[in-house]
Amino acid sequence: MYSILEHPADLGIEARGKTLSEAFEEAAVGLTSIIVDLDSVSAINDRTLTVDAEDAESLLVRWLSELLYLYDGEGFLTKEVDIQQFSRTRLKANLRGDTYVEGKHRTRLDVKAVTYHQLEIQEVPGGWYVRVYLDI
């Protein structure tokens, strides 16, 4: 489950999961939902993505930044995420999504960057919670 947070200059994502990897998966889908209407994205193409970082907070920022790069650099929209390997410093995920096509995909907002502003990762009753803000 994820929700979108409004901020004066940014937009945030809060995501929850039973595990930290599930929260990271939900944050990824939340990012795509900010960029385009998810209903316009099909899960027809596969990608594998591996991300390394020094700690869980940096991993979250790098993870979402890599997904943003896939969209900005290659036009790949992530709809489904399955993290296969996960630690607080490394993840490997299978992505399913679609290549952006003007007219087919209904764009929403242009996300410029993933930030460390008010970044939070926390274990909560029933699982994990993450919050990250995006520069739009």
Side-chain angles (χ1 to χ4, degrees):
M1 237 174 119
Y2 67 86
S3 57
I4 306 304
L5 306 172
E6 293 191 37
H7 187 272
D10 303 322
L11 198 62
I13 300 169
E14 286 184 339
R16 296 179 183 271
K18 291 180 183 176
T19 64
L20 186 52
S21 65
E22 285 181 10
F24 273 50
E25 290 173 349
E26 291 297 324
V29 175
L31 174 63
T32 302
S33 78
I34 290 170
I35 297 169
V36 298
D37 179 354
L38 274 178
D39 290 336
S40 69
V41 180
S42 301
I44 56 175
N45 296 315
D46 296 312
R47 298 279 179 106
T48 300
L49 181 62
T50 302
V51 180
D52 294 295
E54 294 180 12
D55 55 34
E57 291 77 12
S58 296
L59 186 64
L60 178 59
V61 171
R62 293 211 50 213
W63 163 239
L64 296 177
S65 295
E66 287 294 324
L67 294 171
L68 183 58
Y69 170 77
L70 284 176
Y71 169 66
D72 283 339
E74 301 178 22
F76 184 78
L77 295 163
T78 302
K79 180 161 185 159
E80 298 173 2
V81 178
D82 182 21
I83 295 178
Q84 298 293 306
Q85 298 172 6
F86 186 86
S87 74
R88 295 178 74 82
T89 59
R90 179 180 174 87
L91 68 79
K92 182 176 181 180
N94 292 328
L95 311 174
R96 291 189 51 85
D98 206 349
T99 302
Y100 176 78
V101 175
E102 191 173 339
K104 175 184 177 186
H105 298 106
R106 297 180 295 277
T107 58
R108 290 187 168 168
L109 293 174
D110 182 28
V111 176
K112 296 176 186 172
V114 181
T115 75
Y116 284 88
H117 176 70
Q118 295 183 0
L119 179 67
E120 186 175 351
I121 296 177
Q122 184 176 10
E123 190 170 9
V124 296
W128 287 86
Y129 162 86
V130 301
R131 179 183 64 208
V132 63
Y133 278 88
L134 311 168
D135 182 17
I136 55 171

